[in-house]
Amino acid sequence: MVVKFGPGDFVGKIRVALAGVGNVASAIVQGVFKYKDSPDDAPVPGLMHTRLGPYHIGDIEFVAAFDVDARKVGKDLSEAIFSPPNVLPKFSDVPKLGVEVLKGPVLDGVAEHMRDFRYGEGFIVDESQKSVDVAEVLREVKADVLVNAIPVGSREATRAYAEACLNAGTGFVNGIPEFIVSDKEWGEKFRKAGLPAAGDDFKSQLGATILHRTIANLVVERGLKIYDTYQLNIGGDMDFLNMIEESRLHSKRISKTEAVTSLIPYETRTRIGPSDYVPFLGNRKIMYMWMEFEQFGGFRASIDVKLSVMDAPNAAGVAVDAIRAVKLAKDRGIAGPLVEVSAYLFKHPPVQMPDYKARELVEKFIRGE
């Protein structure tokens, strides 16, 4: 049954759990408090709508948080988001939330080189701290949605959080390139459990992927032929330190590459993905994109682009929209992968489609059409 909401409808708070209290989680939490009193008709940078369906950004409340770093575990979430190794600058005051950061499953969530401080800040894992039963916690706090923002390459840990959501009756937002929502088997698990899920891998509001997709789509639609293209990314936060190991990057390269090549109707040479860790950049991400294509008459032309953005806030706006979309689907009894929402907000959705089309379908979803 599809329930339609009017402009004045209010259906309560959205109870959110965070898996991974890194820079993205910090941006989500700070953003909720920065914009919680924004008027409905005042656009918030990075959001589709200040009020998405019945849900205002200020309707998000945090009820649980999980991490593995000993400098965050045991702290209130409001303090943990500013704890090392996070590097995102403070942009909003956050009151004490009464939400203790609990130790989640480590599994493959911490790469070996991330414990080697020759490479930078790294992670500190206290083996004496015991991991909690995530599903039990989610049930106790009655979490509506869990956002997965643990390190790239955390295959087993991501599946542990997804399984916990299935067991606890919690909707799932997968912000990293581990394929859950886009995997048929896992998608069916969420469908059978009667739970909505959106993913995989946040597509930032205006980041490297969406810009590369837009340029590729423009070149193809104008009838030009793309020969070669690359996208190289550098940054200075723990995400980039984690990804200096190529073994952590397999699914990330697939996710970022398919997001672009899905719009090119022929084979072309591509190289897309993170390329280096530059500590002094902090949370700033710099993207270099190059594309060579053929004009009428056989002449070659090229496009060379540099983009510089704060990485975590760029993803946090997408996360806020995804949280509200998953809660809206849960209210309406919609289960399984949210195809349109995932296509617009994520790099590796179950179905790839042009962004303008995905946006139109998401707007219809919000209206309950």
Side-chain angles (χ1 to χ4, degrees):
M1 179 178 69
V2 174
V3 179
K4 295 186 178 181
F5 297 100
D9 289 335
F10 180 74
V11 287
K13 296 287 187 178
I14 309 176
R15 300 175 65 80
V16 173
L18 299 171
V21 186
N23 292 299
V24 171
S26 177
I28 294 170
V29 175
Q30 291 190 68
V32 166
F33 284 92
K34 180 176 178 64
Y35 298 112
K36 65 183 178 66
D37 297 319
S38 296
D40 287 6
D41 59 354
V44 171
L47 298 186
M48 290 185 71
H49 303 289
T50 305
R51 185 177 297 278
L52 192 150
Y55 292 112
H56 190 278
I57 181 176
D59 293 331
I60 292 174
E61 67 174 0
F62 303 98
V63 297
F66 308 93
D67 204 275
V68 299
D69 195 297
R71 292 165 293 183
K72 297 174 184 175
V73 174
K75 290 183 178 178
D76 189 84
L77 178 60
S78 62
E79 183 181 358
I81 59 174
F82 299 115
S83 298
N86 288 8
V87 293
L88 177 68
K90 180 178 179 180
F91 62 86
S92 176
D93 291 329
V94 178
K96 186 170 182 179
L97 298 173
V99 176
E100 179 185 349
V101 177
L102 304 173
K103 187 175 182 181
V106 180
L107 299 172
D108 57 354
V110 179
E112 283 305 312
H113 75 279
M114 295 293 284
R115 303 174 190 246
D116 186 343
F117 282 66
R118 291 175 302 167
Y119 289 97
E121 191 70 38
F123 287 134
I124 298 176
V125 180
D126 184 347
E127 302 297 346
S128 69
Q129 294 174 327
K130 300 301 181 184
S131 297
V132 298
D133 183 325
V134 174
E136 184 178 325
V137 173
L138 295 177
R139 283 192 292 268
E140 286 178 357
V141 299
K142 298 181 173 59
D144 295 308
V145 181
L146 179 139
V147 179
N148 182 42
I150 61 178
V152 170
S154 304
R155 185 181 190 279
E156 298 306 319
T158 292
R159 281 154 179 76
Y161 279 113
E163 192 67 45
C165 287
L166 292 171
N167 293 334
T170 302
F172 190 55
V173 171
N174 186 31
I176 75 167
E178 288 301 325
F179 305 145
I180 298 292
V181 182
S182 58
D183 180 87
K184 288 184 179 179
E185 183 178 337
W186 276 98
E188 188 58 27
K189 286 183 180 181
F190 276 92
R191 186 174 288 106
K192 286 182 177 179
L195 296 168
D200 299 303
D201 196 10
F202 289 132
K203 185 196 297 177
S204 297
Q205 287 289 348
L206 210 167
T209 296
I210 189 68
L211 183 58
H212 201 160
R213 279 172 60 91
T214 300
I215 292 172
N217 188 62
L218 174 64
V219 172
V220 169
E221 288 196 343
R222 298 303 294 175
L224 303 164
K225 181 177 175 58
I226 298 173
Y227 281 106
D228 311 285
T229 186
Y230 67 69
Q231 178 200 127
L232 306 178
N233 302 281
I234 61 174
D237 58 19
M238 291 299 95
D239 193 32
F240 278 88
L241 176 57
N242 174 58
M243 292 187 294
I244 65 173
E245 282 291 328
E246 187 66 29
S247 62
R248 306 285 292 184
L249 277 178
H250 177 68
S251 59
K252 183 70 172 177
R253 289 202 186 279
I254 293 173
S255 176
K256 288 179 72 67
T257 300
E258 289 186 357
V260 174
T261 57
S262 65
L263 297 176
I264 304 173
Y266 43 79
E267 292 293 324
T268 187
R269 294 191 301 182
T270 61
R271 178 66 172 176
I272 297 175
S275 57
D276 208 354
Y277 167 62
V278 183
F280 58 79
L281 287 178
N283 190 239
R284 184 161 296 281
K285 174 180 178 178
I286 297 177
M287 179 273 277
Y288 298 94
M289 190 224 84
W290 179 84
M291 181 181 294
E292 185 177 48
F293 52 91
E294 182 181 338
Q295 299 175 268
F296 184 75
F299 298 100
R300 296 287 182 101
S302 64
I303 297 172
D304 206 344
V305 174
K306 176 184 176 182
L307 172 70
S308 176
V309 293
M310 292 300 286
D311 202 22
N314 218 8
V318 172
V320 167
D321 283 342
I323 288 167
R324 295 183 292 171
V326 168
K327 180 59 166 68
L328 190 53
K330 197 174 183 186
D331 293 342
R332 294 170 172 173
I334 299 171
L338 302 181
V339 175
E340 300 90 342
V341 171
S342 297
Y344 186 61
L345 300 177
F346 297 85
K347 297 185 186 79
H348 198 271
V351 179
Q352 292 279 10
M353 61 182 75
D355 295 284
Y356 77 90
K357 180 179 179 181
R359 171 85 188 214
E360 291 174 358
L361 293 174
V362 173
E363 295 289 5
K364 288 183 178 180
F365 164 80
I366 293 169
R367 296 193 297 269
E369 298 177 0

